[in-house]
Amino acid sequence: MSVTTLIYHSINDRADLVAGGAALPVARFFEHIKFIAKSGRTPATLASSLHPGATGIAVTFDDGDADVFETALPILQKFGVPATVFVSSSLLDTEWVDHGLKRRMLTTSQLQSLAASPLIEIGSHAHVHAPMVLRSRADLLEDLSLSKQMLETIVGKPVRYLAYPHGSHNADVMEVAKQVGFEA
């Protein structure tokens, strides 16, 4: 057995977000987390899932939607399930229009509160949410350094992990991420 990673974005009942694939309805997310808690498989942190032979289920969120704090966190807390939240730092304190869908993103204070939870680890989803393989090494270095520095300043903890926007990466992107100081 290995670690299964569940990747979420928004946890929201707004019909346009659900239909557009940006959100999972709240009741469905509740079912997922309840299943994890009762499945007998260990809820895994991202850190623990990187060890050889690790097992369990890891929960992650990409982008940094405000409902991760407002809706998902209380459900995670109810069942004691940890999660990693990957935040695009340029989207903090904004309303983001992504593929025609208006999404409310985390505020700086919500991010600080998330990071204060013993169940939550904060990771980077880059500063600018754009495919990384299309960008120059200099641009990547600036973007990833800025994101890591901003997030670490806000949360007061090391930001060790990076989730590539759109999953877009190659050997150059991975090398720059390592140079910036991301562990995985």
Side-chain angles (χ1 to χ4, degrees):
M1 215 183 278
S2 61
V3 175
T4 300
T5 303
L6 302 178
I7 303 168
Y8 298 98
H9 290 83
S10 174
I11 306 302
N12 199 305
D13 289 329
R14 250 182 54 202
D16 62 330
L17 292 178
V18 172
L24 184 72
V26 176
R28 190 72 192 259
F29 180 72
F30 185 92
E31 291 172 11
H32 286 194
I33 301 307
K34 181 178 177 182
F35 172 81
I36 292 169
K38 299 194 183 291
S39 70
R41 289 189 68 190
T42 306
T45 64
L46 190 58
S48 71
S49 71
L50 297 173
H51 297 293
T55 62
I57 301 174
V59 173
T60 68
F61 296 89
D62 283 356
D63 303 338
D65 291 82
D67 54 50
V68 172
F69 172 74
E70 298 161 351
T71 307
L73 180 60
I75 296 169
L76 294 166
Q77 289 171 325
K78 176 179 178 68
F79 293 104
V81 173
T84 303
V85 180
F86 293 101
V87 178
S88 290
S89 48
S90 70
L91 299 178
L92 286 169
D93 300 305
T94 69
E95 193 167 72
W96 183 35
V97 178
D98 179 40
H99 296 95
L101 300 171
K102 193 178 289 189
R103 295 166 58 187
R104 218 170 27 85
M105 307 311 285
L106 288 166
T107 66
T108 300
S109 71
Q110 287 174 327
L111 179 59
Q112 289 169 329
S113 294
L114 270 176
S117 169
L119 293 174
I120 303 296
E121 177 154 34
I122 302 301
S124 172
H125 200 42
H127 182 65
V128 176
H129 192 281
M132 302 188 99
V133 297
L134 303 176
R135 301 165 71 182
S136 71
R137 285 178 70 91
D139 183 39
L140 286 172
L141 184 61
E142 181 180 336
D143 182 281
L144 294 180
S145 296
L146 177 60
S147 177
K148 190 172 192 325
Q149 181 181 36
M150 277 182 68
L151 293 173
E152 287 178 342
T153 297
I154 292 167
V155 303
K157 298 177 187 177
V159 172
R160 305 179 304 163
Y161 307 117
L162 170 68
Y164 307 112
H166 308 283
S168 170
H169 69 287
N170 58 21
D172 285 343
V173 172
M174 292 169 66
E175 186 178 312
V176 171
K178 186 176 181 180
Q179 181 182 347
V180 168
F182 290 107
E183 295 175 26

